Amino acid sequence: MVIDDDEEVAEVLAAFLNTGGYDTQIATSGSAGIRLVNETVPFAVVCDMRMPGIGGEEVILQLKSQPLTSHIPVVVVTGYCEEEFAGIGDAFLPKPVRCHELVEAVGQLAA
């Protein structure tokens, strides 16, 4: 699952994951991402931090607080490299993200 308010960025991240063998869905808002994660319970979530409405930090806090989704690893991907975001998810990648970096981060979460 990729959650990013920039649809083009979300599509690129999803394409990266698809090349790594992952089936990927896209949500272009935090609220849509939470809803879709609850409906599909994906293997992992790649989430942007700065989004209008419900931002990435709130998305992650909500997912981690629910028994159905608390086990899902989250890769934080953001253009804002504030240190505060590094500890929120299970992995942290600054934008621009390279394909192999994202696939490797998700793969490590599978181990």
Side-chain angles (χ1 to χ4, degrees):
M1 169 72 59
V2 174
I3 305 171
D4 196 308
D5 63 313
D6 185 324
E7 189 171 353
E8 289 180 22
V9 170
E11 289 175 0
V12 167
L13 296 174
F16 286 173
L17 292 169
N18 291 340
T19 65
Y22 299 102
D23 290 327
T24 310
Q25 293 182 306
I26 294 172
T28 56
S29 72
S31 58
I34 292 168
R35 186 180 69 255
L36 198 53
V37 169
N38 281 309
E39 290 172 4
T40 63
V41 189
F43 161 75
V45 172
V46 175
C47 188
D48 186 22
M49 286 289 98
R50 301 279 187 195
M51 296 183 284
I54 298 176
E57 186 172 4
E58 181 62 26
V59 168
I60 294 167
L61 291 173
Q62 285 191 35
L63 295 177
K64 294 297 185 180
S65 70
Q66 300 174 34
L68 179 66
T69 57
S70 63
H71 70 282
I72 300 171
V74 178
V75 178
V76 171
V77 177
T78 184
Y80 300 91
C81 296
E82 294 110 354
E83 292 297 319
E84 66 187 86
F85 294 145
I88 293 173
D90 299 290
F92 176 83
L93 295 172
K95 289 179 183 175
V97 176
R98 293 185 176 99
C99 179
H100 72 278
E101 293 173 332
L102 182 58
V103 172
E104 182 178 304
V106 171
Q108 287 178 349
L109 295 173

